[in-house]
Every structure is written in C-alpha cells, then in structure tokens.
Amino acid sequence: LTLSIARQNSAILAINGDGYSSQKLGPMVRNGVWYRDSYNRGTDLCVLYRNGELKTYAADSVSLETLEQSDVYQIWTGGPRLLDDEGKPLTKINSERILDSHSARTAIGYYEPGHYCFVVVDGSQNANSKGATLPQLAELFGALGCKQAYVLSGGNSSVMATQNSIINTNPDGGRTVSDILYLCEPGMDAGETP
C-alpha cells in the first residue's frame, strides 16, 4: 500500500506510482538503475533526470539509445502525458482507455527542477467526487501552470499520503502498489527517521 511504503521511507508526501510490476514492456529506471531496457512502441514516457528536470515524451519521440546516454534517474511508463511541449493541455491524449470516463486519477506535474505538483482525484470512494476524465486532468494541470504532466496508475490505486495517514478519500487504503513517488528530507535514506 502507498501508506506502508511512505512510512518505510519517512515520506513527507507520497502518491502511488505507475504500477511497473503489471507492465512487461517499456524502459524502467528507478533511482538511476536500469532494470529494463526494452521499448514499448506507442507509449508516452515520463523521465526524471538527476538534475531535477522532468520531461514527458510523446510516444516514439525519443529513442532508447538517447535515454541510455542521458543522466536518467526515473522513468515512468504508466500513462499518457497531458500537456504539450509548451505546457498547454493536449487536445488529443494518447490513451487506449476511454477518455470521457470519470475515474480516480493520480498524476505528476512539473514546474522547474525540484518543483513538482502531485494531484490525486478521488473517484467513487468519495460521495462528493465523480472522478475526472483525462481531458479534465489536462485542463487542471494547464491551469496550475505546469510545464509537463503525466498520468500514473489510477482507480483504486489513487492514494496521496504522508507517513502518518492517507490524505484523500480511500477507506481501504487503496490496492497494493509496487511503487510510489514521494518527497522526503534531503539526504534521507529508506528507513531513517528525520
């Protein structure tokens, strides 16, 4: 669960990741280590570089060789990008999923190195929310002034938490996840307490 992993890593704030364990293709880099160097054609990518820059790539617009020669720190392949290269909401989002369906969503946005935006939209677990469509999420990130935005795993995986509690409405804590994105004190290693 997102909360359990957040606690293990003394997270100040955490969201679920892209669910890499359910994906068999696509490059996978975690903390600078390449675990998989395959390419999944037709899939948008989100790359965090060691300098703190986050960049999304439209499907098939960057080669695996280019990524391997870059100072890549993380690569996510869970969902589509939401903004174009100028930070405007995409009018055509690369997703096989039904774009008009309202669902719980998790996404990351980017302003500048070291400045990110975590967004979790509640779904049916919250009586006051009907979820969001991908175009609605794109509009939100555009309105927030993000330069890049990318969808992570959603549905019952959508959880935002601190090391103490879940912030959004997800009564059962969400489904078991393989990874999270989190913020912690500089220099903290997994398991240390601030």
Side-chain angles (χ1 to χ4, degrees):
L1 300 176
T2 297
L3 179 59
S4 299
I5 302 172
R7 284 180 174 154
Q8 292 167 6
N9 292 282
S10 302
I12 295 169
L13 185 67
I15 56 175
N16 58 281
D18 67 351
Y20 71 84
S21 63
S22 64
Q23 301 170 45
K24 305 302 179 206
L25 294 173
M28 185 174 66
V29 177
R30 294 297 186 264
N31 302 329
V33 177
W34 282 80
Y35 290 97
R36 188 171 56 220
D37 62 359
S38 63
Y39 209 87
N40 191 7
R41 298 277 175 219
T43 303
D44 294 348
L45 299 177
C46 183
V47 179
L48 178 64
Y49 294 93
R50 283 194 186 274
N51 67 2
E53 179 186 9
L54 185 140
K55 182 146 178 63
T56 62
Y57 294 97
D60 308 322
S61 67
V62 63
S63 71
L64 190 58
E65 294 76 25
T66 297
L67 293 173
E68 289 174 330
Q69 294 170 5
S70 303
D71 203 8
V72 172
Y73 190 61
Q74 310 283 347
I75 296 181
W76 297 286
T77 59
R81 67 190 203 136
L82 297 169
L83 303 176
D84 66 18
D85 293 335
E86 284 77 46
K88 304 289 186 227
L90 286 169
T91 55
K92 184 176 179 185
I93 296 173
N94 180 22
S95 178
E96 295 176 5
R97 293 173 244 159
I98 300 171
L99 297 179
D100 291 333
S101 68
H102 287 81
S103 183
R105 307 278 183 188
T106 302
I108 184 172
Y110 169 75
Y111 296 106
E112 61 186 32
H115 296 264
Y116 312 98
C117 178
F118 289 178
V119 171
V120 171
V121 177
D122 282 342
S124 59
Q125 306 97 329
N126 182 338
N128 297 315
S129 177
K130 62 179 183 175
T133 65
L134 293 180
Q136 287 171 334
L137 203 55
E139 288 293 330
L140 174 62
F141 278 103
L144 291 170
C146 291
K147 295 177 182 174
Q148 305 275 293
Y150 192 79
V151 177
L152 300 165
S153 188
N156 197 35
S157 295
S158 290
V159 172
M160 181 178 284
T162 66
Q163 58 186 292
N164 299 316
S165 64
I166 294 174
I167 296 171
N168 67 310
T169 303
N170 201 320
D172 63 0
R175 72 172 63 100
T176 300
V177 296
S178 54
D179 61 317
I180 66 170
L181 282 71
Y182 67 95
L183 304 174
C184 64
E185 292 289 334
M188 294 296 296
D189 291 325
E192 288 185 46
T193 53

PDB file of all heavy atoms in Angstrom, residues 6 11 19 32 36 38 46 54-55 57 66 81-82 84 101 112 154 156 166 179-180 182 192:
ATOM      1  N   ALA A   6       5.237   4.685   2.140  1.00  0.00           N
ATOM      2  CA  ALA A   6       5.539   6.050   2.601  1.00  0.00           C
ATOM      3  C   ALA A   6       6.137   6.010   4.000  1.00  0.00           C
ATOM      4  O   ALA A   6       7.117   6.707   4.291  1.00  0.00           O
ATOM      5  CB  ALA A   6       4.277   6.897   2.572  1.00  0.00           C
ATOM      6  N   ALA A  11       8.360   9.412   4.241  1.00  0.00           N
ATOM      7  CA  ALA A  11       7.865  10.361   3.249  1.00  0.00           C
ATOM      8  C   ALA A  11       7.141  11.528   3.899  1.00  0.00           C
ATOM      9  O   ALA A  11       6.341  11.347   4.816  1.00  0.00           O
ATOM     10  CB  ALA A  11       6.927   9.650   2.285  1.00  0.00           C
ATOM     11  N   GLY A  19       2.767   1.633 -11.291  1.00  0.00           N
ATOM     12  CA  GLY A  19       2.409   0.220 -11.288  1.00  0.00           C
ATOM     13  C   GLY A  19       3.280  -0.600 -12.220  1.00  0.00           C
ATOM     14  O   GLY A  19       2.805  -1.450 -12.953  1.00  0.00           O
ATOM     15  N   GLY A  32      18.147   5.759 -10.756  1.00  0.00           N
ATOM     16  CA  GLY A  32      19.318   5.723 -11.625  1.00  0.00           C
ATOM     17  C   GLY A  32      19.749   4.353 -12.100  1.00  0.00           C
ATOM     18  O   GLY A  32      20.686   4.238 -12.874  1.00  0.00           O
ATOM     19  N   ARG A  36      15.123  -2.403 -16.857  1.00  0.00           N
ATOM     20  CA  ARG A  36      14.596  -2.939 -18.117  1.00  0.00           C
ATOM     21  C   ARG A  36      14.897  -1.925 -19.210  1.00  0.00           C
ATOM     22  O   ARG A  36      14.627  -0.735 -19.064  1.00  0.00           O
ATOM     23  CB  ARG A  36      13.079  -3.163 -17.982  1.00  0.00           C
ATOM     24  CG  ARG A  36      12.453  -3.878 -19.150  1.00  0.00           C
ATOM     25  CD  ARG A  36      11.005  -4.268 -18.887  1.00  0.00           C
ATOM     26  NE  ARG A  36      10.204  -3.115 -18.520  1.00  0.00           N
ATOM     27  CZ  ARG A  36       9.254  -3.120 -17.577  1.00  0.00           C
ATOM     28  NH1 ARG A  36       9.000  -4.205 -16.891  1.00  0.00           N
ATOM     29  NH2 ARG A  36       8.571  -2.037 -17.313  1.00  0.00           N
ATOM     30  N   SER A  38      13.846  -2.384 -22.507  1.00  0.00           N
ATOM     31  CA  SER A  38      13.003  -2.646 -23.676  1.00  0.00           C
ATOM     32  C   SER A  38      12.216  -1.384 -24.006  1.00  0.00           C
ATOM     33  O   SER A  38      12.136  -0.456 -23.204  1.00  0.00           O
ATOM     34  CB  SER A  38      12.044  -3.806 -23.397  1.00  0.00           C
ATOM     35  OG  SER A  38      11.170  -3.463 -22.339  1.00  0.00           O
ATOM     36  N   CYS A  46       7.559   9.331 -19.181  1.00  0.00           N
ATOM     37  CA  CYS A  46       7.868  10.426 -18.269  1.00  0.00           C
ATOM     38  C   CYS A  46       9.235  10.130 -17.674  1.00  0.00           C
ATOM     39  O   CYS A  46       9.454   9.044 -17.115  1.00  0.00           O
ATOM     40  CB  CYS A  46       6.809  10.512 -17.168  1.00  0.00           C
ATOM     41  SG  CYS A  46       7.052  11.897 -16.034  1.00  0.00           S
ATOM     42  N   LEU A  54      12.023  17.231 -15.156  1.00  0.00           N
ATOM     43  CA  LEU A  54      11.077  16.178 -15.522  1.00  0.00           C
ATOM     44  C   LEU A  54      10.579  16.484 -16.928  1.00  0.00           C
ATOM     45  O   LEU A  54      10.187  17.616 -17.215  1.00  0.00           O
ATOM     46  CB  LEU A  54       9.906  16.142 -14.536  1.00  0.00           C
ATOM     47  CG  LEU A  54       8.914  15.004 -14.753  1.00  0.00           C
ATOM     48  CD1 LEU A  54       8.473  14.443 -13.401  1.00  0.00           C
ATOM     49  CD2 LEU A  54       7.700  15.481 -15.520  1.00  0.00           C
ATOM     50  N   LYS A  55      10.615  15.502 -17.788  1.00  0.00           N
ATOM     51  CA  LYS A  55      10.194  15.701 -19.183  1.00  0.00           C
ATOM     52  C   LYS A  55       9.305  14.549 -19.603  1.00  0.00           C
ATOM     53  O   LYS A  55       9.592  13.396 -19.301  1.00  0.00           O
ATOM     54  CB  LYS A  55      11.414  15.784 -20.085  1.00  0.00           C
ATOM     55  CG  LYS A  55      11.067  16.032 -21.535  1.00  0.00           C
ATOM     56  CD  LYS A  55      12.089  16.877 -22.217  1.00  0.00           C
ATOM     57  CE  LYS A  55      11.804  17.096 -23.676  1.00  0.00           C
ATOM     58  NZ  LYS A  55      10.590  17.798 -23.976  1.00  0.00           N
ATOM     59  N   TYR A  57       7.573  12.589 -22.891  1.00  0.00           N
ATOM     60  CA  TYR A  57       7.846  12.365 -24.305  1.00  0.00           C
ATOM     61  C   TYR A  57       6.635  11.707 -24.955  1.00  0.00           C
ATOM     62  O   TYR A  57       6.121  10.710 -24.440  1.00  0.00           O
ATOM     63  CB  TYR A  57       9.062  11.458 -24.497  1.00  0.00           C
ATOM     64  CG  TYR A  57      10.356  12.081 -24.033  1.00  0.00           C
ATOM     65  CD1 TYR A  57      10.873  11.814 -22.769  1.00  0.00           C
ATOM     66  CD2 TYR A  57      11.060  12.938 -24.876  1.00  0.00           C
ATOM     67  CE1 TYR A  57      12.062  12.393 -22.353  1.00  0.00           C
ATOM     68  CE2 TYR A  57      12.259  13.523 -24.463  1.00  0.00           C
ATOM     69  CZ  TYR A  57      12.751  13.242 -23.195  1.00  0.00           C
ATOM     70  OH  TYR A  57      13.925  13.816 -22.781  1.00  0.00           O
ATOM     71  N   THR A  66      19.051   7.289 -26.804  1.00  0.00           N
ATOM     72  CA  THR A  66      19.172   8.647 -26.268  1.00  0.00           C
ATOM     73  C   THR A  66      18.965   8.647 -24.766  1.00  0.00           C
ATOM     74  O   THR A  66      19.721   9.293 -24.025  1.00  0.00           O
ATOM     75  CB  THR A  66      18.145   9.586 -26.943  1.00  0.00           C
ATOM     76  OG1 THR A  66      18.437   9.653 -28.345  1.00  0.00           O
ATOM     77  CG2 THR A  66      18.201  10.981 -26.347  1.00  0.00           C
ATOM     78  N   ARG A  81       0.977  11.398 -21.339  1.00  0.00           N
ATOM     79  CA  ARG A  81       1.289  12.774 -20.962  1.00  0.00           C
ATOM     80  C   ARG A  81       0.030  13.605 -21.180  1.00  0.00           C
ATOM     81  O   ARG A  81      -0.839  13.244 -21.992  1.00  0.00           O
ATOM     82  CB  ARG A  81       2.485  13.304 -21.730  1.00  0.00           C
ATOM     83  CG  ARG A  81       2.283  13.489 -23.205  1.00  0.00           C
ATOM     84  CD  ARG A  81       3.604  13.794 -23.885  1.00  0.00           C
ATOM     85  NE  ARG A  81       3.345  14.480 -25.144  1.00  0.00           N
ATOM     86  CZ  ARG A  81       4.000  15.535 -25.582  1.00  0.00           C
ATOM     87  NH1 ARG A  81       4.975  16.037 -24.877  1.00  0.00           N
ATOM     88  NH2 ARG A  81       3.696  16.092 -26.729  1.00  0.00           N
ATOM     89  N   LEU A  82      -0.064  14.725 -20.490  1.00  0.00           N
ATOM     90  CA  LEU A  82      -1.288  15.539 -20.523  1.00  0.00           C
ATOM     91  C   LEU A  82      -1.083  16.908 -21.152  1.00  0.00           C
ATOM     92  O   LEU A  82      -2.059  17.533 -21.585  1.00  0.00           O
ATOM     93  CB  LEU A  82      -1.826  15.732 -19.097  1.00  0.00           C
ATOM     94  CG  LEU A  82      -2.258  14.455 -18.390  1.00  0.00           C
ATOM     95  CD1 LEU A  82      -2.510  14.720 -16.912  1.00  0.00           C
ATOM     96  CD2 LEU A  82      -3.493  13.870 -19.066  1.00  0.00           C
ATOM     97  N   ASP A  84       1.312  19.555 -23.833  1.00  0.00           N
ATOM     98  CA  ASP A  84       2.239  19.558 -24.961  1.00  0.00           C
ATOM     99  C   ASP A  84       3.569  20.169 -24.528  1.00  0.00           C
ATOM    100  O   ASP A  84       3.750  20.521 -23.359  1.00  0.00           O
ATOM    101  CB  ASP A  84       1.631  20.267 -26.175  1.00  0.00           C
ATOM    102  CG  ASP A  84       1.400  21.766 -25.968  1.00  0.00           C
ATOM    103  OD1 ASP A  84       2.000  22.372 -25.038  1.00  0.00           O
ATOM    104  OD2 ASP A  84       0.620  22.342 -26.753  1.00  0.00           O
ATOM    105  N   SER A 101     -14.464   8.744 -19.502  1.00  0.00           N
ATOM    106  CA  SER A 101     -14.893   8.110 -18.258  1.00  0.00           C
ATOM    107  C   SER A 101     -14.337   8.880 -17.064  1.00  0.00           C
ATOM    108  O   SER A 101     -13.203   9.343 -17.070  1.00  0.00           O
ATOM    109  CB  SER A 101     -14.432   6.651 -18.203  1.00  0.00           C
ATOM    110  OG  SER A 101     -13.028   6.587 -18.099  1.00  0.00           O
ATOM    111  N   GLU A 112       9.636  23.308 -12.512  1.00  0.00           N
ATOM    112  CA  GLU A 112      11.067  23.506 -12.767  1.00  0.00           C
ATOM    113  C   GLU A 112      11.817  22.508 -11.897  1.00  0.00           C
ATOM    114  O   GLU A 112      11.209  21.879 -11.017  1.00  0.00           O
ATOM    115  CB  GLU A 112      11.482  24.941 -12.453  1.00  0.00           C
ATOM    116  CG  GLU A 112      11.257  25.332 -11.011  1.00  0.00           C
ATOM    117  CD  GLU A 112      11.535  26.809 -10.740  1.00  0.00           C
ATOM    118  OE1 GLU A 112      11.327  27.649 -11.620  1.00  0.00           O
ATOM    119  OE2 GLU A 112      11.974  27.095  -9.618  1.00  0.00           O
ATOM    120  N   GLY A 154      -4.167   4.728 -11.742  1.00  0.00           N
ATOM    121  CA  GLY A 154      -5.352   5.355 -11.156  1.00  0.00           C
ATOM    122  C   GLY A 154      -6.302   4.348 -10.544  1.00  0.00           C
ATOM    123  O   GLY A 154      -5.897   3.277 -10.097  1.00  0.00           O
ATOM    124  N   ASN A 156      -8.469   2.443  -7.945  1.00  0.00           N
ATOM    125  CA  ASN A 156      -8.303   2.208  -6.510  1.00  0.00           C
ATOM    126  C   ASN A 156      -6.835   2.295  -6.073  1.00  0.00           C
ATOM    127  O   ASN A 156      -6.538   2.246  -4.892  1.00  0.00           O
ATOM    128  CB  ASN A 156      -8.897   0.855  -6.107  1.00  0.00           C
ATOM    129  CG  ASN A 156      -9.113   0.754  -4.611  1.00  0.00           C
ATOM    130  OD1 ASN A 156      -9.449   1.735  -3.946  1.00  0.00           O
ATOM    131  ND2 ASN A 156      -8.901  -0.424  -4.063  1.00  0.00           N
ATOM    132  N   ILE A 166      -3.491   8.719   5.220  1.00  0.00           N
ATOM    133  CA  ILE A 166      -3.936   8.956   3.850  1.00  0.00           C
ATOM    134  C   ILE A 166      -4.677  10.289   3.818  1.00  0.00           C
ATOM    135  O   ILE A 166      -5.518  10.569   4.675  1.00  0.00           O
ATOM    136  CB  ILE A 166      -4.848   7.806   3.379  1.00  0.00           C
ATOM    137  CG1 ILE A 166      -4.018   6.515   3.298  1.00  0.00           C
ATOM    138  CG2 ILE A 166      -5.493   8.126   2.039  1.00  0.00           C
ATOM    139  CD1 ILE A 166      -4.821   5.280   2.989  1.00  0.00           C
ATOM    140  N   ASP A 179       5.065   0.590  -6.392  1.00  0.00           N
ATOM    141  CA  ASP A 179       5.959   1.731  -6.291  1.00  0.00           C
ATOM    142  C   ASP A 179       5.180   2.988  -5.941  1.00  0.00           C
ATOM    143  O   ASP A 179       3.972   3.066  -6.157  1.00  0.00           O
ATOM    144  CB  ASP A 179       6.729   1.934  -7.592  1.00  0.00           C
ATOM    145  CG  ASP A 179       5.827   2.205  -8.793  1.00  0.00           C
ATOM    146  OD1 ASP A 179       4.799   1.517  -8.931  1.00  0.00           O
ATOM    147  OD2 ASP A 179       6.142   3.102  -9.582  1.00  0.00           O
ATOM    148  N   ILE A 180       5.908   3.968  -5.387  1.00  0.00           N
ATOM    149  CA  ILE A 180       5.322   5.266  -5.081  1.00  0.00           C
ATOM    150  C   ILE A 180       6.298   6.355  -5.514  1.00  0.00           C
ATOM    151  O   ILE A 180       7.477   6.082  -5.750  1.00  0.00           O
ATOM    152  CB  ILE A 180       4.996   5.434  -3.578  1.00  0.00           C
ATOM    153  CG1 ILE A 180       6.270   5.462  -2.721  1.00  0.00           C
ATOM    154  CG2 ILE A 180       4.030   4.357  -3.099  1.00  0.00           C
ATOM    155  CD1 ILE A 180       6.048   5.864  -1.266  1.00  0.00           C
ATOM    156  N   TYR A 182       7.615   9.926  -3.831  1.00  0.00           N
ATOM    157  CA  TYR A 182       7.493  10.591  -2.545  1.00  0.00           C
ATOM    158  C   TYR A 182       8.549  11.673  -2.373  1.00  0.00           C
ATOM    159  O   TYR A 182       9.587  11.670  -3.019  1.00  0.00           O
ATOM    160  CB  TYR A 182       7.567   9.576  -1.403  1.00  0.00           C
ATOM    161  CG  TYR A 182       8.898   8.895  -1.218  1.00  0.00           C
ATOM    162  CD1 TYR A 182       9.840   9.384  -0.309  1.00  0.00           C
ATOM    163  CD2 TYR A 182       9.216   7.747  -1.928  1.00  0.00           C
ATOM    164  CE1 TYR A 182      11.058   8.745  -0.123  1.00  0.00           C
ATOM    165  CE2 TYR A 182      10.428   7.096  -1.746  1.00  0.00           C
ATOM    166  CZ  TYR A 182      11.343   7.611  -0.847  1.00  0.00           C
ATOM    167  OH  TYR A 182      12.551   6.980  -0.663  1.00  0.00           O
ATOM    168  N   GLU A 192      15.316   5.675   7.562  1.00  0.00           N
ATOM    169  CA  GLU A 192      15.766   6.668   8.534  1.00  0.00           C
ATOM    170  C   GLU A 192      14.591   7.504   8.987  1.00  0.00           C
ATOM    171  O   GLU A 192      13.615   7.676   8.274  1.00  0.00           O
ATOM    172  CB  GLU A 192      16.801   7.608   7.908  1.00  0.00           C
ATOM    173  CG  GLU A 192      18.143   6.978   7.653  1.00  0.00           C
ATOM    174  CD  GLU A 192      19.129   8.002   7.150  1.00  0.00           C
ATOM    175  OE1 GLU A 192      19.212   9.101   7.728  1.00  0.00           O
ATOM    176  OE2 GLU A 192      19.806   7.698   6.161  1.00  0.00           O
TER     177      GLU A 192
END
